[in-house]
Amino acid sequence: MKSRSLLTTALAGVVMSGALAGCAGISQAVAGFTQPNMSDESAASVEILRLPYGVPRIVASDHDGLGYGAGIVAAQDNLCLVMERAMTVRGERAAFLGAGDNNANIASDLYHRRIRNSGAVEALLAGEPGAVDTPSADARAFIEGFADGVNHVLATGEVTDPNCAGEAWVRDVTAHDIWYGALTLPFGQPIEAVTSAQPPAGEEATHSEARIEDLLVQRRGMGSNAYAVGSDGTREGVDAVLLGNPHYPWDGALRFYRVGLTIPGEFNVVGAGLITTPFVGIGHTENIAWTHTVSTARRFGYYELTLDPEDPTRYLVDGHSHAMMANDITVEVLGEEGATTSVTRTIWETEFGPVAVSQRMPWSQERAFAFAAPSGGLRIIDQYLAMYAADDVETLHGALSRYQATAFNTMAVDQDGGAFYGDMGLVPNVDTAMVMRCAASELAQGYWMQARIPVLNAADPTCRWADGEGATAPGVFGPADAPHLFRSDFVAQSNDSPWLTNPAQPLTGYSPIWGDEATPRSMRTRLALDQMAQRLAGSDGFGEAGFDLETVQAVMYSNRHHGGELLRDSVVEVCLESGEADLQPLCDALAGWDLKVNLDSRGAHVMALYLLSGGAVFEGAFDAENGATTPVGLASDDPAVLEALRAAANQLSQLQLAADAPLGEVMGEMRGDTRIPIHGGPAGTGVFNMIIPGSPVPGTGWTSVRHGSSWIMTVEFSDEGVRSEGVLTYSQSTDPTSAHYGDQTELYSNKGWEALYFDLDEARAAAVSSTVFER
């Protein structure tokens, strides 16, 4: 199958989570249990296999059964997160947890109550059957089953997790809770900007001191790497290889959870999904493997409102005054004495979306700003079900095009050796010509030029997002106009724009709303492309050229530090020539550093502190013709170099850390009383295996991880079928009493991998237990 040439279309898929044992009415057995044919004798049965590391495999005869099993395992391993998410989307955080820091829980409740009160889910569920916005019967069954599975655990088991045991907010969920959670995914929501927007009390704007950040960057702190390697980039006998490496939070609602889902005779999928959403977002079937990476596309914008001089709650459109809608929302807030009080706030709505405020966008007597974002509604479940059914990347592309529900890039390979990249979601159909014509202020022009965020003149009715050809929602680009690429060698993404997804075929000519073109790439992107080039040439020390499962794993854990490779030697020269006594330990540590971020790499933390203090100053110019390899050379005469070295030395002194300490001694993750050493490095330093630690402890170092490598998945297709291995860096369960609270974290620390057991017979043979539920 090595003869496949350049491809021309694509698609990809997803599912979700868990496990329970020992409850009344449930049969249980050890590994080796022989399950009846689910499609024949036990149509109402749901089997949950528990594999090593607590990973569940759910086998059912229909989507309701799969959802039921997914709900059971989600509640078994991560009940507190499931319950907290339900509390959030119901708008009840303040009622149970109090106002929160800076009234954050009140703001969250107001925002989510606004959406809940709108009846959006109910309206979408009542939509025309077969419409892209109307959930299918299979999707509904899955969600209803998931809610029932969670409730089964609540009814038959005790809550062991001390994070929520005995809490009043641990109670039954409904299918609507799950649907509202899918409608308002826990990232990119302008919660404070919307709930803080109030009209000016006088002639002066009331928000000059607003603490709300502008939405210049979505999903702050999140990232990802991905390689999708086709038949021309693999070793003999291998058709395609995929690496998925999202960099997601290690705590909270955006944690991944490993799972396998099987309806015998219909589909079989393994991978991982977010704990609080009942499907797997990154995984593989027997035909395709896919992953997602954080996109540079701006999936939102603003409309600048010219206000009626007589009333700042009215705005002008084509010379006519329109009233904003005052949407009064009431939430309950728990006080210090244990009693709740009602708090009512007004959210101001316009035809474009809610009014939002920030430091740069206050609500004055003359103008205000409405936040606008296209909504994928409840399409996500059906999109991933369609992805499971894909035979190849062309069909995958078709599924992504039909639903346009992804908020990320998609990278995929298929069993025939095709590779695909696409940013296929709902993106406002705006280009530079429209913005320049419709920017009503210098501020609006600046947002576009500096951050690629469209701020259009609401007063001009011709300044509206255009309907794209073939688009599945109004005001967005159609799927044919979204950046996408089919290759037989590779596509690679590390959170830069689509431009150099494959340097041999740059993606150009797209609206800047998708991302920059012909601009410098991040050091992590440059490292990713350099690793790819070296592997295809066989020059990286990992043997014969081309990828297979083992070599992509070796590249992933090679832990190269491109910032150090590009700049270290020159930084050491400047350090030594300075003659400053306080810098000499840093000079020596950097000179002896192995340019890696392994546990035994001495001095890696020094380079991180240096680069994060502004030391990445290059002497050479960026060359768009060599965008993957320029600029180069340290600007040694730039004062920023010594300033960054001094800042790093000062931080080391304050932290009481030795400059030549091994990375594993200064960076770790606590699991109970056990400290697990962690390898990797922070964003902005040129590290592929990205780890962003939490706040350091003087004398100890960094004892927690905020974001970074989370679900690492590797897949190989060959004539022998599909092989896959992965590791969930922070482990399956957030319950500190669970046996699976830190076991995969230890595996990651040791650079280990675990089979995904795609083949159901292999999964049965490896299972630690099997539990059957009568649905």
Side-chain angles (χ1 to χ4, degrees):
M1 295 190 179
K2 297 286 288 186
S3 61
R4 181 146 177 165
S5 60
L6 193 65
L7 303 174
T8 46
T9 37
L11 174 143
V14 156
V15 176
M16 159 123 185
S17 49
L20 179 74
C23 296
I26 301 169
S27 62
Q28 183 178 0
V30 297
F33 175 89
T34 301
Q35 172 65 19
N37 186 319
M38 304 296 291
S39 61
D40 298 329
E41 301 176 34
S42 304
S45 294
V46 179
E47 180 186 16
I48 298 176
L49 303 172
R50 278 287 195 172
L51 303 174
Y53 296 97
V55 177
R57 178 64 154 274
I58 303 164
V59 185
S61 59
D62 56 24
H63 293 82
D64 175 83
L66 277 187
Y68 188 65
I72 287 173
V73 296
Q76 169 69 19
D77 287 344
N78 297 287
L79 180 65
C80 295
L81 286 182
V82 174
M83 293 291 103
E84 184 177 357
R85 181 63 181 153
M87 175 174 58
T88 296
V89 301
R90 289 170 180 152
E92 297 177 343
R93 294 186 66 86
F96 289 107
L97 305 179
D101 294 342
N102 296 315
N103 293 322
N105 287 336
I106 295 177
S108 174
D109 288 350
L110 291 169
Y111 188 85
H112 288 94
R113 282 284 179 92
R114 164 184 172 264
I115 297 171
R116 194 96 179 196
N117 292 352
S118 73
V121 162
E122 291 79 358
L124 289 166
L125 290 173
E128 181 182 352
V132 68
D133 279 318
T134 306
S136 67
D138 286 342
R140 294 168 193 254
F142 192 94
I143 295 298
E144 289 166 3
F146 182 86
D148 288 347
V150 170
N151 295 337
H152 174 85
V153 174
L154 291 176
T156 59
E158 295 183 3
V159 178
T160 61
D161 191 337
N163 292 305
C164 63
E167 296 290 347
W169 44 272
V170 177
R171 68 184 198 272
D172 282 2
V173 299
T174 67
H176 276 49
D177 292 331
I178 310 305
W179 280 122
Y180 272 107
L183 184 67
T184 57
L185 290 172
F187 46 73
Q189 301 291 343
I191 291 174
E192 292 186 349
V194 168
T195 58
S196 297
Q198 295 299 314
E203 293 187 4
E204 297 298 323
T206 60
H207 295 285
S208 59
E209 301 300 323
R211 59 184 173 81
I212 301 146
E213 275 191 68
D214 292 309
L215 293 176
L216 294 181
V217 180
Q218 290 180 293
R219 306 181 190 97
R220 191 177 302 276
M222 293 165 59
S224 37
N225 299 313
Y227 287 150
V229 186
S231 56
D232 290 341
T234 55
R235 288 179 168 178
E236 188 64 32
V238 177
D239 298 308
V241 170
L242 183 94
L243 167 70
N245 176 216
H247 304 149
Y248 261 47
W250 279 36
D251 297 293
L254 290 174
R255 278 175 53 117
F256 283 100
Y257 184 82
R258 289 179 57 185
V259 69
L261 300 178
T262 304
I263 296 180
E266 184 167 341
F267 70 77
N268 189 30
V269 60
V270 296
L274 300 181
I275 289 171
T276 55
T277 53
F279 52 84
V280 173
I282 294 174
H284 75 87
T285 67
E286 65 178 343
N287 297 318
I288 60 165
W290 71 92
T291 186
H292 297 299
T293 64
V294 175
S295 163
T296 57
R298 304 304 192 200
R299 286 171 159 79
F300 65 96
Y302 293 92
Y303 280 92
E304 185 170 355
L305 307 172
T306 300
L307 301 181
D308 188 326
E310 302 298 321
D311 185 348
T313 66
R314 299 182 68 89
Y315 58 95
L316 302 178
V317 176
D318 203 19
H320 300 285
S321 181
H322 295 249
M324 298 177 186
M325 185 185 78
N327 187 0
D328 295 331
I329 309 291
T330 299
V331 299
E332 300 300 313
V333 182
L334 180 67
E336 293 183 0
E337 303 301 321
T340 59
T341 57
S342 297
V343 172
T344 301
R345 297 281 188 272
T346 301
I347 293 177
W348 295 89
E349 313 275 1
T350 75
E351 62 194 273
F352 311 103
V355 178
V357 297
S358 70
Q359 290 177 334
R360 298 187 189 186
M361 291 182 167
W363 187 345
S364 71
Q365 292 286 351
E366 293 78 29
R367 66 179 178 179
F369 298 86
F371 178 84
S375 173
L378 307 180
R379 306 175 181 188
I380 193 72
I381 300 293
D382 282 307
Q383 174 175 280
Y384 284 115
L385 291 176
M387 290 165 69
Y388 301 148
D391 293 329
D392 51 35
V393 291
E394 287 88 351
T395 319
L396 177 62
H397 177 252
L400 294 171
S401 298
R402 168 167 168 71
Y403 291 101
Q404 291 190 275
T406 51
F408 310 99
N409 296 313
T410 299
M411 318 279 284
V413 296
D414 62 33
Q415 79 285 358
D416 291 328
F420 165 77
Y421 158 81
D423 192 351
M424 304 302 299
L426 298 172
V427 174
N429 189 355
V430 174
D431 60 16
T432 298
M434 173 183 280
V435 173
M436 292 299 99
R437 178 176 66 83
C438 293
S441 63
E442 290 185 7
L443 181 144
Q445 293 181 18
Y447 260 69
W448 182 253
M449 300 305 292
Q450 297 170 24
R452 301 181 291 102
I453 296 174
V455 182
L456 305 184
N457 181 10
D460 185 344
T462 69
C463 294
R464 303 292 183 263
W465 299 348
D467 292 340
E469 183 177 354
T472 62
V476 300
F477 283 101
D481 293 323
H484 63 281
L485 188 61
F486 294 91
R487 298 287 300 184
S488 57
D489 52 358
F490 74 89
V491 289
Q493 257 291 328
S494 290
N495 308 131
D496 266 315
S497 73
W499 177 47
L500 291 187
T501 295
N502 185 305
Q505 190 178 353
L507 289 168
T508 60
Y510 295 93
S511 165
I513 202 168
W514 294 102
D516 296 327
E517 297 174 8
T519 57
R521 304 293 88 179
S522 72
M523 286 193 289
R524 178 159 56 89
T525 290
R526 291 174 61 180
L527 173 59
L529 293 174
D530 186 65
Q531 289 178 161
M532 175 63 70
Q534 288 198 30
R535 179 82 300 269
L536 295 181
S539 60
D540 55 6
F542 298 137
E544 174 193 347
F547 281 91
D548 59 11
L549 191 73
E550 287 72 25
T551 52
V552 79
Q553 292 176 349
V555 169
M556 174 67 219
Y557 278 156
S558 64
N559 278 345
R560 287 176 55 187
H561 192 301
H562 207 43
E565 294 170 352
L566 293 171
L567 300 172
R568 187 273 305 271
D569 291 349
S570 296
V571 171
V572 170
E573 287 182 13
V574 174
C575 187
L576 291 171
E577 289 173 1
S578 74
E580 297 182 20
D582 289 346
L583 299 185
Q584 296 315 296
L586 280 69
C587 306
D588 295 340
L590 289 174
W593 173 41
D594 64 2
L595 300 177
K596 304 281 189 179
V597 285
N598 291 322
L599 295 181
D600 59 356
S601 295
R602 295 180 178 271
H605 59 301
V606 175
M607 194 65 182
L609 292 174
Y610 165 78
L611 291 171
L612 296 176
S613 297
V617 286
F618 289 95
E619 180 180 38
F622 169 71
D623 175 12
E625 294 298 317
N626 297 285
T629 57
T630 60
V632 295
L634 181 72
S636 300
D637 294 334
D638 193 317
V641 177
L642 269 178
E643 289 172 6
L645 281 167
R646 291 167 184 149
N650 183 54
Q651 290 181 70
L652 282 177
S653 177
Q654 292 180 352
L655 292 174
Q656 304 165 35
L657 298 178
D660 63 350
L663 182 62
E665 290 185 6
V666 299
M667 190 167 75
E669 170 80 0
M670 298 302 297
R671 284 293 179 265
D673 295 329
T674 301
R675 179 189 177 280
I676 302 173
I678 298 296
H679 51 90
T685 63
V687 175
F688 194 76
N689 183 15
M690 195 173 82
I691 293 290
I692 302 176
S695 299
V697 177
T700 301
W702 296 267
T703 59
S704 65
V705 177
R706 288 174 46 227
H707 299 269
S709 291
S710 45
W711 167 230
I712 310 176
M713 182 184 74
T714 58
V715 184
E716 173 194 282
F717 288 105
S718 72
D719 291 343
E720 303 299 317
V722 59
R723 287 198 299 152
S724 55
E725 295 180 347
V727 59
L728 187 65
T729 58
Y730 36 64
S731 305
Q732 288 287 103
S733 179
T734 52
D735 182 349
T737 69
S738 170
H740 306 298
Y741 180 56
D743 51 356
Q744 286 187 77
T745 311
E746 295 274 8
L747 183 66
Y748 169 73
S749 179
N750 294 321
K751 295 187 176 181
W753 302 92
E754 171 66 7
L756 303 193
Y757 301 106
F758 174 76
D759 181 82
L760 185 56
D761 289 337
E762 292 181 0
R764 292 194 190 285
V768 176
S769 67
S770 173
T771 307
V772 177
F773 297 80
E774 298 301 324
R775 178 72 172 116

Short mmCIF file of all heavy atoms in Angstrom, two decimals, residues 11-14 266-269 285-288 290 382-392 395-396 399:
data_model
loop_
_atom_site.label_atom_id
_atom_site.label_comp_id
_atom_site.label_asym_id
_atom_site.label_seq_id
_atom_site.Cartn_x
_atom_site.Cartn_y
_atom_site.Cartn_z
N LEU A 11 -11.79 13.32 6.79
CA LEU A 11 -12.69 13.25 7.99
C LEU A 11 -12.09 12.62 9.25
O LEU A 11 -11.12 11.92 9.14
CB LEU A 11 -13.99 12.54 7.59
CG LEU A 11 -14.98 12.24 8.70
CD1 LEU A 11 -16.39 12.41 8.21
CD2 LEU A 11 -14.88 10.93 9.32
N ALA A 12 -12.67 12.78 10.51
CA ALA A 12 -12.15 12.14 11.75
C ALA A 12 -13.15 12.03 12.89
O ALA A 12 -14.16 12.67 12.86
CB ALA A 12 -10.92 12.90 12.24
N GLY A 13 -12.96 11.29 13.98
CA GLY A 13 -13.96 10.95 14.98
C GLY A 13 -13.66 10.88 16.46
O GLY A 13 -12.57 11.08 16.86
N VAL A 14 -14.69 10.50 17.40
CA VAL A 14 -14.60 10.65 18.87
C VAL A 14 -15.63 9.84 19.72
O VAL A 14 -16.66 9.53 19.24
CB VAL A 14 -14.74 12.15 19.21
CG1 VAL A 14 -15.23 12.38 20.59
CG2 VAL A 14 -13.41 12.82 19.01
N GLU A 266 -20.96 -2.67 14.44
CA GLU A 266 -21.26 -1.30 14.01
C GLU A 266 -20.03 -0.41 14.07
O GLU A 266 -19.66 0.20 13.07
CB GLU A 266 -22.38 -0.71 14.85
CG GLU A 266 -22.79 0.68 14.37
CD GLU A 266 -24.10 1.14 14.99
OE1 GLU A 266 -24.86 0.27 15.49
OE2 GLU A 266 -24.37 2.35 14.97
N PHE A 267 -19.39 -0.29 15.23
CA PHE A 267 -18.15 0.46 15.29
C PHE A 267 -17.36 0.07 16.54
O PHE A 267 -17.90 -0.47 17.51
CB PHE A 267 -18.36 1.98 15.21
CG PHE A 267 -18.99 2.60 16.44
CD1 PHE A 267 -18.26 2.83 17.60
CD2 PHE A 267 -20.32 3.01 16.41
CE1 PHE A 267 -18.83 3.43 18.71
CE2 PHE A 267 -20.89 3.62 17.51
CZ PHE A 267 -20.15 3.82 18.66
N ASN A 268 -16.07 0.35 16.45
CA ASN A 268 -15.15 0.10 17.54
C ASN A 268 -14.17 1.27 17.54
O ASN A 268 -13.53 1.55 16.52
CB ASN A 268 -14.41 -1.22 17.30
CG ASN A 268 -13.60 -1.66 18.50
OD1 ASN A 268 -13.94 -1.35 19.64
ND2 ASN A 268 -12.52 -2.37 18.25
N VAL A 269 -14.06 1.99 18.66
CA VAL A 269 -13.21 3.17 18.72
C VAL A 269 -12.54 3.22 20.09
O VAL A 269 -13.16 2.90 21.11
CB VAL A 269 -14.02 4.45 18.44
CG1 VAL A 269 -15.13 4.64 19.45
CG2 VAL A 269 -13.12 5.67 18.39
N THR A 285 -10.16 4.24 14.86
CA THR A 285 -10.93 3.05 14.53
C THR A 285 -10.01 2.11 13.75
O THR A 285 -8.80 2.31 13.72
CB THR A 285 -12.16 3.43 13.68
OG1 THR A 285 -11.70 3.91 12.40
CG2 THR A 285 -12.99 4.50 14.36
N GLU A 286 -10.57 1.12 13.09
CA GLU A 286 -9.73 0.23 12.29
C GLU A 286 -9.31 0.88 10.98
O GLU A 286 -8.40 0.40 10.31
CB GLU A 286 -10.47 -1.07 11.99
CG GLU A 286 -11.71 -0.91 11.11
CD GLU A 286 -12.36 -2.25 10.81
OE1 GLU A 286 -11.68 -3.28 11.01
OE2 GLU A 286 -13.54 -2.25 10.39
N ASN A 287 -9.95 2.02 10.62
CA ASN A 287 -9.69 2.66 9.33
C ASN A 287 -8.96 3.99 9.43
O ASN A 287 -8.20 4.34 8.53
CB ASN A 287 -11.01 2.90 8.59
CG ASN A 287 -11.72 1.60 8.26
OD1 ASN A 287 -11.10 0.63 7.86
ND2 ASN A 287 -13.02 1.58 8.47
N ILE A 288 -9.23 4.75 10.48
CA ILE A 288 -8.67 6.09 10.59
C ILE A 288 -8.19 6.35 12.01
O ILE A 288 -8.64 5.71 12.96
CB ILE A 288 -9.70 7.19 10.22
CG1 ILE A 288 -10.92 7.10 11.14
CG2 ILE A 288 -10.10 7.09 8.76
CD1 ILE A 288 -11.80 8.32 11.10
N TRP A 290 -7.17 10.01 14.36
CA TRP A 290 -7.24 11.46 14.28
C TRP A 290 -6.84 12.08 15.62
O TRP A 290 -6.91 11.45 16.67
CB TRP A 290 -8.65 11.92 13.90
CG TRP A 290 -9.62 11.71 15.01
CD1 TRP A 290 -9.98 12.60 15.98
CD2 TRP A 290 -10.34 10.51 15.28
NE1 TRP A 290 -10.87 12.02 16.84
CE2 TRP A 290 -11.11 10.73 16.44
CE3 TRP A 290 -10.40 9.26 14.66
CZ2 TRP A 290 -11.94 9.76 16.99
CZ3 TRP A 290 -11.22 8.29 15.21
CH2 TRP A 290 -11.97 8.54 16.36
N ASP A 382 -23.13 14.00 16.89
CA ASP A 382 -23.35 13.42 15.57
C ASP A 382 -22.12 13.56 14.68
O ASP A 382 -21.85 12.68 13.85
CB ASP A 382 -24.56 14.08 14.91
CG ASP A 382 -25.87 13.53 15.45
OD1 ASP A 382 -26.04 12.30 15.46
OD2 ASP A 382 -26.71 14.33 15.90
N GLN A 383 -21.38 14.66 14.83
CA GLN A 383 -20.17 14.77 14.03
C GLN A 383 -19.21 13.63 14.34
O GLN A 383 -18.66 13.00 13.44
CB GLN A 383 -19.47 16.10 14.29
CG GLN A 383 -18.13 16.15 13.55
CD GLN A 383 -17.44 17.48 13.66
OE1 GLN A 383 -17.78 18.40 12.95
NE2 GLN A 383 -16.49 17.56 14.57
N TYR A 384 -19.01 13.34 15.62
CA TYR A 384 -18.07 12.28 15.95
C TYR A 384 -18.59 10.89 15.61
O TYR A 384 -17.82 10.01 15.24
CB TYR A 384 -17.64 12.41 17.41
CG TYR A 384 -16.64 13.53 17.59
CD1 TYR A 384 -16.94 14.65 18.35
CD2 TYR A 384 -15.42 13.48 16.96
CE1 TYR A 384 -16.03 15.68 18.48
CE2 TYR A 384 -14.51 14.50 17.07
CZ TYR A 384 -14.81 15.61 17.84
OH TYR A 384 -13.91 16.63 17.95
N LEU A 385 -19.90 10.70 15.71
CA LEU A 385 -20.45 9.42 15.25
C LEU A 385 -20.20 9.24 13.76
O LEU A 385 -19.88 8.14 13.29
CB LEU A 385 -21.95 9.36 15.55
CG LEU A 385 -22.35 9.25 17.03
CD1 LEU A 385 -23.86 9.29 17.18
CD2 LEU A 385 -21.77 7.99 17.66
N ALA A 386 -20.31 10.33 12.99
CA ALA A 386 -20.00 10.26 11.56
C ALA A 386 -18.53 9.99 11.33
O ALA A 386 -18.15 9.28 10.38
CB ALA A 386 -20.42 11.56 10.87
N MET A 387 -17.68 10.53 12.18
CA MET A 387 -16.25 10.29 12.04
C MET A 387 -15.90 8.83 12.30
O MET A 387 -15.05 8.26 11.62
CB MET A 387 -15.50 11.22 13.01
CG MET A 387 -15.56 12.69 12.60
SD MET A 387 -15.08 13.83 13.91
CE MET A 387 -13.32 13.48 14.03
N TYR A 388 -16.57 8.22 13.27
CA TYR A 388 -16.32 6.79 13.53
C TYR A 388 -16.58 5.94 12.30
O TYR A 388 -15.97 4.89 12.11
CB TYR A 388 -17.22 6.26 14.65
CG TYR A 388 -17.07 6.96 15.97
CD1 TYR A 388 -18.18 7.08 16.80
CD2 TYR A 388 -15.88 7.51 16.38
CE1 TYR A 388 -18.07 7.72 18.03
CE2 TYR A 388 -15.77 8.15 17.59
CZ TYR A 388 -16.87 8.26 18.41
OH TYR A 388 -16.77 8.90 19.61
N ALA A 389 -17.55 6.39 11.49
CA ALA A 389 -17.95 5.60 10.33
C ALA A 389 -17.05 5.83 9.12
O ALA A 389 -17.22 5.17 8.09
CB ALA A 389 -19.40 5.94 9.96
N ALA A 390 -16.09 6.75 9.23
CA ALA A 390 -15.26 7.09 8.08
C ALA A 390 -14.34 5.94 7.68
O ALA A 390 -13.71 5.32 8.53
CB ALA A 390 -14.44 8.34 8.38
N ASP A 391 -14.24 5.69 6.39
CA ASP A 391 -13.33 4.67 5.87
C ASP A 391 -11.94 5.23 5.58
O ASP A 391 -10.96 4.49 5.57
CB ASP A 391 -13.89 4.07 4.57
CG ASP A 391 -15.16 3.28 4.80
OD1 ASP A 391 -15.29 2.69 5.89
OD2 ASP A 391 -16.02 3.27 3.90
N ASP A 392 -11.87 6.52 5.30
CA ASP A 392 -10.59 7.13 4.93
C ASP A 392 -10.66 8.63 5.22
O ASP A 392 -11.69 9.14 5.66
CB ASP A 392 -10.26 6.87 3.46
CG ASP A 392 -11.39 7.23 2.52
OD1 ASP A 392 -12.11 8.23 2.80
OD2 ASP A 392 -11.58 6.54 1.50
N THR A 395 -13.49 10.64 3.48
CA THR A 395 -14.80 10.54 4.13
C THR A 395 -14.81 11.33 5.43
O THR A 395 -15.83 11.93 5.80
CB THR A 395 -15.13 9.06 4.43
OG1 THR A 395 -14.76 8.25 3.33
CG2 THR A 395 -16.61 8.88 4.70
N LEU A 396 -13.70 11.33 6.11
CA LEU A 396 -13.58 12.12 7.33
C LEU A 396 -13.79 13.60 7.04
O LEU A 396 -14.53 14.31 7.74
CB LEU A 396 -12.20 11.91 7.95
CG LEU A 396 -11.88 12.72 9.21
CD1 LEU A 396 -12.82 12.37 10.33
CD2 LEU A 396 -10.45 12.50 9.63
N ALA A 399 -17.42 14.32 6.71
CA ALA A 399 -18.15 14.43 7.97
C ALA A 399 -17.89 15.77 8.65
O ALA A 399 -18.80 16.42 9.17
CB ALA A 399 -17.76 13.29 8.90
#
